[in-house]
Amino acid sequence: MKSFLQQEILSEEKNTHMTHIEDSVLYGGVDGTRQAINALRELRDMLQGKHSGSVSVKWDGAPAIFAGTDPSDGKFFVAKKGIFNKNPKVYKTKADVDADTSGDLNTKMNAALNELPALGIKGVIQGDFLFGPGDVAKEKIGGESFITFHPNTIVYAIPTNTQAAKDVKSAKIGIVWHTSYSGTSFENMKASYGVNVAGLRTSRKVWSQDAMLRDITNATMTSAQTKAVDSHLSNAGKIFRKIAGSTLRQLENNQQLAQLIEQFNNTFVRKGEIIRDSRRHVVALQKWIQTKYKTEASKRKSDAGKAAQFKKMNEVMSFFSKQNTASLVAMFDLQKEIVNAKLILTGKLDELGTIGTFVKTNKGYKVTGAEGYVAIDKLTGGALKLVDRMEFSYNNFSPNVLKGWDQPSRN
C-alpha cells in the first residue's frame, strides 16, 4: 500500500481551496487533526530516506487557468474559475475572451487560447499563470544576471546562462499545472491532484511545468533536524490526547466559528507576530469576537437589527464553556507544535529549489522560500498546505513588498 505522500494523484472535488495543515485542527475535527500529524510524520520519514515519494510544490502563480476539451462539444477552451458556475463560463474564441475580460487578464487568456492547443491537452487541467506576454524581464540581483517573472508575491529568477532561461525567453506564456479533471460535464467533474506534463506535447511558445517535487535525494534531514521534528510531533501527540473530542467535533460542525478563529489568528500573521501564550490568546479571541459583533450592532439603525447581532454574538460565545476553553488552549498549543515541525520540513524542501525565489521590497530584492508545499492524502481525498505563514503570508500582506500586479505593465 502506498504511503500518504507516495500518492501523487489525489481524487477530490473541485480544487478551489486547500486548508493550511495547522488549520485542519480547527476545521477537520478528530480525523483532520490526526491526518495533519500523520502527514508530517510521512514527510519526515520521506526526508529520512525511509521511503520514496513525491510532494507538490505551491507556485505563486496568478491567475488560475483551466484548459482542455469541453466534454459537451469536444471543442478546446480556456477558462477562469467560472468554469464551475451553474452556467459554466468558458472561452472558445477571441470574441468570448474579449467580451468577458480586459487588461492583463485579457492578454493572458487570449495568449492561452492561441498557444495551449499545441500541447494536445486531454480532458481538463488546471494551473496558474507564471508569466504572459511582456512579463519576463532581465534583472541583476546580488550582482548576478537573471531572467525573472513576477506573477504574484514571489519573484522567480533563473540564471541567464542556463537552458531554462533560454526556454523562458522564447515562450509567450508560462504555466504550472497542478490538477486534472475528468467527467462528462463541468458540473460533475472530479479533480485529481497532479498533472503529468510528460503526456503533453511541447511547444517553444509555452513554458509548461508540473507542480510535483520528485527528487528528494539531496534533502535528507540531519539527525539533529530529525530529532527536533520528532520532539514536536511527540508533543503534538501528547497534546492531542488532552483535547476533548467533543470540542473538536463542535468546531468541525460550526465552520463559522472555526473561520472566526482563523481570521483572528490571521491578524497576527499579517503583523508577523507569533502566538506565544495560548491561554491569553483564547482570552483575546473572546474579546475580539465580542467587539466584532458589537461593532456590527452599532452600524444597525433599528433595535431589531442591533438585537440580531447580539443574538449572533451570544450564540457564538456559548461555545466557550470551561471544557471547550481549556481544549481550545490545548488546540493552539497543538497548532504551534505542528507549525514548528512543518517549518523544519519545508525549510529542508526549500533546499531542492532549482529556480531562485525572491521578494521585491522597497530596499531591493530579498531571498525567500517557495510559497509552500502540498501534502496529499490518498485516504480522504484531501490536500493540506504547508506554508511558512510568518514568511510568505506576511510578505503577501506587507505593503513593503511589491506585488506582481503592482507593476505598470500589469495595470
Side-chain angles (χ1 to χ4, degrees), residues 8 12 28 31 45 79 90 103 141 224 235 259 289 333 371 375 381 385:
E8 283 192 21
E12 58 173 356
D31 288 342
D45 291 346
V90 298
I141 303 175
N235 290 338
Q259 288 170 5
I289 291 173
D333 285 337
E371 178 186 344
K385 292 187 289 189

PDB file of all heavy atoms in Angstrom, residues 8 12 28 31 45 79 90 103 141 224 235 259 289 333 371 375 381 385:
ATOM      1  N   GLU A   8       0.647  10.364  -5.661  1.00  0.00           N
ATOM      2  CA  GLU A   8       0.771  11.606  -6.408  1.00  0.00           C
ATOM      3  C   GLU A   8      -0.577  12.155  -6.845  1.00  0.00           C
ATOM      4  O   GLU A   8      -0.757  13.341  -6.983  1.00  0.00           O
ATOM      5  CB  GLU A   8       1.638  11.414  -7.647  1.00  0.00           C
ATOM      6  CG  GLU A   8       3.113  11.357  -7.353  1.00  0.00           C
ATOM      7  CD  GLU A   8       3.920  11.464  -8.619  1.00  0.00           C
ATOM      8  OE1 GLU A   8       3.403  11.957  -9.621  1.00  0.00           O
ATOM      9  OE2 GLU A   8       5.081  11.030  -8.599  1.00  0.00           O
ATOM     10  N   GLU A  12     -10.528  14.272  -5.526  1.00  0.00           N
ATOM     11  CA  GLU A  12     -11.232  15.216  -4.666  1.00  0.00           C
ATOM     12  C   GLU A  12     -12.284  15.956  -5.478  1.00  0.00           C
ATOM     13  O   GLU A  12     -12.466  15.713  -6.654  1.00  0.00           O
ATOM     14  CB  GLU A  12     -10.248  16.216  -4.051  1.00  0.00           C
ATOM     15  CG  GLU A  12      -9.462  16.985  -5.092  1.00  0.00           C
ATOM     16  CD  GLU A  12      -8.619  18.072  -4.480  1.00  0.00           C
ATOM     17  OE1 GLU A  12      -8.699  18.273  -3.256  1.00  0.00           O
ATOM     18  OE2 GLU A  12      -7.905  18.739  -5.211  1.00  0.00           O
ATOM     19  N   GLY A  28     -11.089  20.185  10.755  1.00  0.00           N
ATOM     20  CA  GLY A  28     -11.202  18.759  10.429  1.00  0.00           C
ATOM     21  C   GLY A  28     -11.590  17.847  11.566  1.00  0.00           C
ATOM     22  O   GLY A  28     -11.680  16.634  11.362  1.00  0.00           O
ATOM     23  N   ASP A  31     -10.453  13.502  13.058  1.00  0.00           N
ATOM     24  CA  ASP A  31      -9.799  12.899  11.896  1.00  0.00           C
ATOM     25  C   ASP A  31      -8.849  13.879  11.216  1.00  0.00           C
ATOM     26  O   ASP A  31      -7.739  13.514  10.819  1.00  0.00           O
ATOM     27  CB  ASP A  31     -10.837  12.408  10.890  1.00  0.00           C
ATOM     28  CG  ASP A  31     -11.576  11.168  11.379  1.00  0.00           C
ATOM     29  OD1 ASP A  31     -11.064  10.505  12.302  1.00  0.00           O
ATOM     30  OD2 ASP A  31     -12.669  10.883  10.849  1.00  0.00           O
ATOM     31  N   ASP A  45       9.566  10.933   7.415  1.00  0.00           N
ATOM     32  CA  ASP A  45      10.123   9.637   7.004  1.00  0.00           C
ATOM     33  C   ASP A  45      10.684   9.693   5.593  1.00  0.00           C
ATOM     34  O   ASP A  45      11.723   9.100   5.293  1.00  0.00           O
ATOM     35  CB  ASP A  45       9.050   8.550   7.097  1.00  0.00           C
ATOM     36  CG  ASP A  45       8.653   8.236   8.536  1.00  0.00           C
ATOM     37  OD1 ASP A  45       9.379   8.666   9.456  1.00  0.00           O
ATOM     38  OD2 ASP A  45       7.613   7.578   8.732  1.00  0.00           O
ATOM     39  N   ALA A  79     -10.423  28.861 -19.478  1.00  0.00           N
ATOM     40  CA  ALA A  79     -11.410  29.420 -18.555  1.00  0.00           C
ATOM     41  C   ALA A  79     -10.747  29.871 -17.267  1.00  0.00           C
ATOM     42  O   ALA A  79      -9.625  29.481 -16.936  1.00  0.00           O
ATOM     43  CB  ALA A  79     -12.485  28.377 -18.237  1.00  0.00           C
ATOM     44  N   VAL A  90     -16.769  29.592 -20.163  1.00  0.00           N
ATOM     45  CA  VAL A  90     -15.535  29.147 -20.818  1.00  0.00           C
ATOM     46  C   VAL A  90     -15.346  29.959 -22.097  1.00  0.00           C
ATOM     47  O   VAL A  90     -16.308  30.479 -22.669  1.00  0.00           O
ATOM     48  CB  VAL A  90     -15.584  27.637 -21.143  1.00  0.00           C
ATOM     49  CG1 VAL A  90     -15.706  26.818 -19.872  1.00  0.00           C
ATOM     50  CG2 VAL A  90     -16.713  27.310 -22.100  1.00  0.00           C
ATOM     51  N   GLY A 103      -7.648  44.226 -20.001  1.00  0.00           N
ATOM     52  CA  GLY A 103      -6.327  44.445 -19.445  1.00  0.00           C
ATOM     53  C   GLY A 103      -5.428  43.228 -19.491  1.00  0.00           C
ATOM     54  O   GLY A 103      -5.411  42.474 -20.465  1.00  0.00           O
ATOM     55  N   ILE A 141      20.430  40.676  -9.673  1.00  0.00           N
ATOM     56  CA  ILE A 141      20.131  40.520  -8.254  1.00  0.00           C
ATOM     57  C   ILE A 141      21.418  40.055  -7.582  1.00  0.00           C
ATOM     58  O   ILE A 141      21.969  39.014  -7.948  1.00  0.00           O
ATOM     59  CB  ILE A 141      19.016  39.498  -8.020  1.00  0.00           C
ATOM     60  CG1 ILE A 141      17.737  39.897  -8.773  1.00  0.00           C
ATOM     61  CG2 ILE A 141      18.710  39.352  -6.526  1.00  0.00           C
ATOM     62  CD1 ILE A 141      16.612  38.871  -8.690  1.00  0.00           C
ATOM     63  N   ALA A 224      20.040  15.915  13.836  1.00  0.00           N
ATOM     64  CA  ALA A 224      19.535  16.982  14.713  1.00  0.00           C
ATOM     65  C   ALA A 224      18.173  17.472  14.247  1.00  0.00           C
ATOM     66  O   ALA A 224      17.267  17.714  15.070  1.00  0.00           O
ATOM     67  CB  ALA A 224      20.529  18.141  14.744  1.00  0.00           C
ATOM     68  N   ASN A 235       5.241  15.880  21.071  1.00  0.00           N
ATOM     69  CA  ASN A 235       4.471  16.844  21.870  1.00  0.00           C
ATOM     70  C   ASN A 235       3.073  17.013  21.309  1.00  0.00           C
ATOM     71  O   ASN A 235       2.091  17.123  22.061  1.00  0.00           O
ATOM     72  CB  ASN A 235       5.184  18.195  21.905  1.00  0.00           C
ATOM     73  CG  ASN A 235       6.465  18.170  22.712  1.00  0.00           C
ATOM     74  OD1 ASN A 235       6.644  17.295  23.568  1.00  0.00           O
ATOM     75  ND2 ASN A 235       7.352  19.120  22.454  1.00  0.00           N
ATOM     76  N   GLN A 259     -13.945  29.644  11.251  1.00  0.00           N
ATOM     77  CA  GLN A 259     -13.472  30.720  10.388  1.00  0.00           C
ATOM     78  C   GLN A 259     -13.148  31.972  11.185  1.00  0.00           C
ATOM     79  O   GLN A 259     -12.169  32.665  10.897  1.00  0.00           O
ATOM     80  CB  GLN A 259     -14.514  31.026   9.318  1.00  0.00           C
ATOM     81  CG  GLN A 259     -14.623  29.943   8.249  1.00  0.00           C
ATOM     82  CD  GLN A 259     -15.807  30.140   7.328  1.00  0.00           C
ATOM     83  OE1 GLN A 259     -16.523  31.135   7.415  1.00  0.00           O
ATOM     84  NE2 GLN A 259     -16.029  29.194   6.427  1.00  0.00           N
ATOM     85  N   ILE A 289     -14.070  38.594  19.290  1.00  0.00           N
ATOM     86  CA  ILE A 289     -15.377  38.181  18.762  1.00  0.00           C
ATOM     87  C   ILE A 289     -16.471  39.117  19.263  1.00  0.00           C
ATOM     88  O   ILE A 289     -17.337  39.573  18.492  1.00  0.00           O
ATOM     89  CB  ILE A 289     -15.683  36.723  19.161  1.00  0.00           C
ATOM     90  CG1 ILE A 289     -14.748  35.761  18.420  1.00  0.00           C
ATOM     91  CG2 ILE A 289     -17.149  36.376  18.854  1.00  0.00           C
ATOM     92  CD1 ILE A 289     -14.872  34.316  18.869  1.00  0.00           C
ATOM     93  N   ASP A 333      -1.856  25.251  21.386  1.00  0.00           N
ATOM     94  CA  ASP A 333      -0.544  24.663  21.675  1.00  0.00           C
ATOM     95  C   ASP A 333      -0.209  23.578  20.653  1.00  0.00           C
ATOM     96  O   ASP A 333       0.936  23.454  20.209  1.00  0.00           O
ATOM     97  CB  ASP A 333      -0.525  24.063  23.088  1.00  0.00           C
ATOM     98  CG  ASP A 333      -0.444  25.121  24.183  1.00  0.00           C
ATOM     99  OD1 ASP A 333       0.032  26.235  23.889  1.00  0.00           O
ATOM    100  OD2 ASP A 333      -0.847  24.830  25.321  1.00  0.00           O
ATOM    101  N   GLU A 371       6.535  29.334  -2.070  1.00  0.00           N
ATOM    102  CA  GLU A 371       5.265  29.650  -1.414  1.00  0.00           C
ATOM    103  C   GLU A 371       4.925  28.577  -0.390  1.00  0.00           C
ATOM    104  O   GLU A 371       4.433  28.865   0.694  1.00  0.00           O
ATOM    105  CB  GLU A 371       4.129  29.761  -2.427  1.00  0.00           C
ATOM    106  CG  GLU A 371       2.799  30.043  -1.754  1.00  0.00           C
ATOM    107  CD  GLU A 371       1.613  30.010  -2.703  1.00  0.00           C
ATOM    108  OE1 GLU A 371       1.814  30.070  -3.920  1.00  0.00           O
ATOM    109  OE2 GLU A 371       0.480  29.920  -2.203  1.00  0.00           O
ATOM    110  N   ALA A 375       0.703  18.517   0.941  1.00  0.00           N
ATOM    111  CA  ALA A 375       0.649  17.123   1.369  1.00  0.00           C
ATOM    112  C   ALA A 375      -0.647  16.526   0.861  1.00  0.00           C
ATOM    113  O   ALA A 375      -1.720  17.093   1.051  1.00  0.00           O
ATOM    114  CB  ALA A 375       0.720  17.035   2.893  1.00  0.00           C
ATOM    115  N   GLY A 381      -8.934  12.014   0.303  1.00  0.00           N
ATOM    116  CA  GLY A 381      -9.128  12.866  -0.860  1.00  0.00           C
ATOM    117  C   GLY A 381      -8.902  14.321  -0.546  1.00  0.00           C
ATOM    118  O   GLY A 381      -9.400  15.191  -1.243  1.00  0.00           O
ATOM    119  N   LYS A 385      -2.051  22.366   2.868  1.00  0.00           N
ATOM    120  CA  LYS A 385      -0.957  23.269   2.526  1.00  0.00           C
ATOM    121  C   LYS A 385       0.065  23.328   3.654  1.00  0.00           C
ATOM    122  O   LYS A 385      -0.302  23.405   4.827  1.00  0.00           O
ATOM    123  CB  LYS A 385      -1.494  24.685   2.285  1.00  0.00           C
ATOM    124  CG  LYS A 385      -2.335  24.841   1.063  1.00  0.00           C
ATOM    125  CD  LYS A 385      -2.676  26.298   0.801  1.00  0.00           C
ATOM    126  CE  LYS A 385      -3.658  26.863   1.817  1.00  0.00           C
ATOM    127  NZ  LYS A 385      -4.136  28.204   1.428  1.00  0.00           N
TER     128      LYS A 385
END
